[in-house]
Amino acid sequence: MSFIKENCGIAGVYNNKHSAEILYLSLFSLQHRGQESCGIVVCDGKTVNIKKGMGTVSEVFKDGTLSSLKGSFGIGHVRYSTTGSSSSKNIQPFFSEYSGKPYAIAHNGNIVNSHLLREKLEKRGSIFQTTLDTEILMHLITISKKIKFKDKLLDALSKLKGAFAFVILTPDEIIGVKDPWDFRPLCLGKIKNGYIVASESCAFDLTGARYIRELSPGEVVFINKDGIESVHLPQKKISRCIFEFIYFARPDSNIFGASVYNARKNLGEKLAEEFPYSGDIVVPIPDSGSIAALGFSQKRGIPFEMGIVRNHYIGRTFIQPFQISREVGVKVKLNPIRNVIKGKDIIVVEDSIVRGTTSRLRIKSLRDAGAKRIFMAVSCPPIKYPCFYGIDFPSRKELIAARYSLNHIVKEIGVDGLYYLSLDGMLSSIGLPEEEFCTACFTGKYVIKDSHFEGKEQFEL
Ligand code: SF4
């Protein structure tokens, strides 16, 4: 399990009197995509009700707060900040009034030309309430010369470059938007007589909604009293984030039309085929390495053992009562089971290595618990480049694989052998066209080259 921060999760519901409750459950299912803040905006066609706050869904929507959110359609958001600081002014959905009518936007991804767009808008006199790249869309809509809102929106969207999955609330509809590069997932479902959209299909399961399909690249879906209407933005080179399958998305989700569980298990099987070492047991780093480890174990016929146990009760609520070392901090989260690993050669399956610092501490705790030899199998290639499309990877100088050779990393994290899944192996494991994936964090090949993204706090004073 890497300490990579997710991007965000979004959801929208149309035509259900329990919209707020459905959004609450959807956001709860998408909580893994962001825990800094969250919000719900619902509308009954006349009034708009909003509740937003810093913290997780269960912290913000404590007893009673949902019942005041009346409306038959709405949108919601869970946030991890990738553009704009983590502060109350930046909590989404972003809400504003235009021509006396309410509009709200929730966004997952990063708009890479946001710096240039905001500079131009500010020169024209636009005043921004937030430091979100999301707000730029609303300003672009208001300055568009088109007449109808739909045309203004399409005009505004055509100016954006980068990763953007949006759900938008207007006075009488919700709209789902997928960028034409297809960086981030967005699914469509049916719920009773209405519709639901969400970043991942796991959001549908709790609400009783039925998965219909993934939005296609560049699709803009208008959901209103007339049903569903789809419009498509001009085509671009498809570049889906492969990291959604490796780490971000929940294994019980379908994203981009493929099962995350199957993809993760296939990654483990492919890794087992390529892995040059052997061992007595296969041990996952829970939870994100577990399914790849299962695939690895089944492919190689080496027993799968939960040699490391995860404490599920810490998360954001773990408050250190006294100063503890980083080493103890790692053990609080993941603790080795001594009698499972003592005296054994173990193959540790990890989804990814970012800085390498937590891997080093985990390997040390496995050694302290008596492991004889430790080989590490990583279910993706070395991460060498930052992401500009909504994932908060550190800069190149902090990425261990960008700085050091394989031999050096082996020494640095203290393993007896280390192997990363090959790029081809990774691409062939997902079950979607290989040429339609973004692999920029592994290869440095960015599909949008003229990025001016300057870090998530680029718009802060
Ligand atoms: S650079 Fe990596 S994390 Fe970012 S969108 Fe591409 S594959 Fe995903």
Side-chain angles (χ1 to χ4, degrees):
M1 183 178 66
S2 319
F3 286 98
I4 306 166
K5 293 293 172 52
E6 318 275 331
N7 32 60
C8 294
I10 57 174
V13 180
Y14 185 80
N15 194 24
N16 194 302
K17 65 179 180 188
H18 301 295
S19 288
E21 286 90 338
I22 292 165
L23 287 167
Y24 173 85
L25 292 172
S26 303
L27 296 184
F28 199 77
S29 306
L30 298 173
Q31 190 75 84
H32 59 289
R33 298 182 74 86
Q35 299 97 43
E36 285 180 0
S37 64
C38 60
I40 289 176
V41 178
V42 289
C43 181
D44 60 7
K46 289 189 190 120
T47 53
V48 171
N49 294 297
I50 306 171
K51 169 82 180 163
K52 304 199 276 190
M54 297 298 292
T56 60
V57 176
S58 54
E59 287 165 349
V60 172
F61 297 95
K62 294 206 181 87
D63 290 348
T65 51
L66 275 180
S67 56
S68 62
L69 293 174
K70 302 262 185 267
S72 59
F73 58 101
I75 62 171
H77 189 267
V78 287
R79 178 166 195 245
Y80 172 74
S81 50
T82 50
T83 299
S85 60
S86 176
S87 60
S88 52
K89 76 176 176 214
N90 285 337
I91 302 173
Q92 294 195 36
F94 172 76
F95 177 79
S96 62
E97 287 197 4
Y98 170 55
S99 290
K101 290 180 179 166
Y103 293 86
I105 306 175
H107 174 203
N108 172 207
N110 250 24
I111 298 165
V112 297
N113 62 340
S114 56
H115 200 276
L116 293 176
L117 291 170
R118 185 162 166 145
E119 210 170 86
K120 276 190 200 161
L121 286 161
E122 284 180 340
K123 276 187 188 149
R124 286 181 55 116
S126 297
I127 296 170
F128 283 79
Q129 304 170 35
T130 70
T131 51
L132 297 169
D133 54 352
T134 315
E135 187 179 351
I136 289 166
L137 178 63
M138 199 62 226
H139 288 271
L140 290 173
I141 291 168
T142 59
I143 63 161
S144 169
K145 299 220 165 19
K146 305 283 182 191
I147 310 296
K148 291 183 184 157
F149 178 81
K150 180 177 163 186
D151 298 327
K152 282 176 178 288
L153 172 66
L154 296 173
D155 187 30
L157 289 170
S158 71
K159 304 206 163 41
L160 304 184
K161 284 185 185 174
F164 50 89
F166 292 115
V167 284
I168 301 171
L169 178 139
T170 77
D172 44 25
E173 65 189 347
I174 65 162
I175 304 164
V177 179
K178 249 288 188 94
D179 70 67
W181 295 270
D182 213 18
F183 280 111
R184 300 278 152 231
L186 193 61
C187 314
L188 175 69
K190 187 96 179 81
I191 183 159
K192 293 199 171 154
N193 296 325
Y195 289 95
I196 181 167
V197 281
S199 298
E200 295 180 32
S201 69
C202 68
F204 299 167
D205 299 338
L206 266 188
T207 64
R210 180 173 53 83
Y211 174 83
I212 301 178
R213 65 177 175 87
E214 179 80 14
L215 265 66
S216 50
E219 186 173 357
V220 184
V221 192
F222 296 83
I223 306 173
N224 51 40
K225 65 177 175 24
D226 301 322
I228 284 192
E229 186 201 353
S230 283
V231 179
H232 286 85
L233 299 170
Q235 276 187 345
K236 304 281 180 196
K237 185 185 177 315
I238 296 173
S239 192
R240 299 180 182 112
C241 175
I242 201 162
F243 233 89
E244 293 275 357
F245 287 102
I246 295 163
Y247 173 74
F248 301 131
R250 268 176 44 161
D252 51 344
S253 284
N254 273 303
I255 54 166
F256 303 118
S259 153
V260 177
Y261 181 91
N262 288 350
R264 229 164 256 178
K265 201 162 169 215
N266 290 343
L267 286 165
E269 287 177 9
K270 189 57 78 177
L271 184 58
E273 282 171 22
E274 295 182 7
F275 196 66
Y277 307 100
S278 193
D280 301 316
I281 53 173
V282 174
V283 174
I285 301 286
D287 290 328
S288 50
S290 301
I291 297 163
L294 185 66
F296 188 111
S297 152
Q298 290 177 353
K299 188 78 187 178
R300 286 281 280 259
I302 300 172
F304 174 95
E305 295 285 358
M306 290 300 292
I308 301 171
V309 69
R310 180 176 168 201
N311 184 340
H312 286 268
Y313 302 100
I314 41 168
R316 289 165 37 84
T317 54
F318 177 64
I319 296 161
Q320 294 180 6
F322 49 87
Q323 202 62 34
I324 57 170
S325 65
R326 183 112 200 252
E327 191 176 333
V328 176
V330 166
K331 274 195 192 163
V332 169
K333 288 176 189 147
L334 296 174
N335 197 30
I337 304 175
R338 183 175 288 269
N339 63 329
V340 174
I341 54 181
K342 191 163 181 245
K344 307 239 173 70
D345 285 347
I346 62 173
I347 299 170
V348 177
V349 178
E350 175 70 290
D351 59 86
S352 53
I353 302 176
V354 182
R355 292 183 177 84
T357 39
T358 43
S359 296
R360 181 167 50 79
L361 293 170
R362 281 181 196 141
I363 297 303
K364 180 173 182 305
S365 73
L366 287 167
R367 288 233 189 266
D368 292 347
K372 196 162 93 192
R373 288 191 299 171
I374 305 171
F375 303 105
M376 186 174 264
V378 186
S379 63
C380 72
I383 300 169
K384 295 185 176 174
Y385 301 88
C387 172
F388 300 126
Y389 311 127
I391 305 305
D392 197 18
F393 280 149
S395 65
R396 279 207 86 192
K397 61 180 185 298
E398 292 173 274
L399 292 167
I400 191 167
R403 297 170 61 203
Y404 300 122
S405 68
L406 187 74
N407 286 344
H408 191 112
I409 301 170
V410 166
K411 287 203 190 92
E412 185 75 19
I413 62 177
V415 285
D416 298 286
L418 168 67
Y419 185 82
Y420 290 93
L421 181 61
S422 66
L423 188 68
D424 287 346
M426 175 181 73
L427 288 166
S428 65
S429 299
I430 313 295
L432 291 170
E434 297 180 19
E435 67 286 1
E436 293 185 356
F437 280 115
C438 173
T439 57
C441 50
F442 308 111
T443 59
K445 292 180 186 158
Y446 295 93
V447 70
I448 304 170
K449 295 185 182 67
D450 51 345
S451 165
H452 290 262
F453 182 66
E454 292 174 9
K456 74 175 184 179
E457 307 217 335
Q458 62 179 345
F459 300 135
E460 307 297 330
L461 283 176

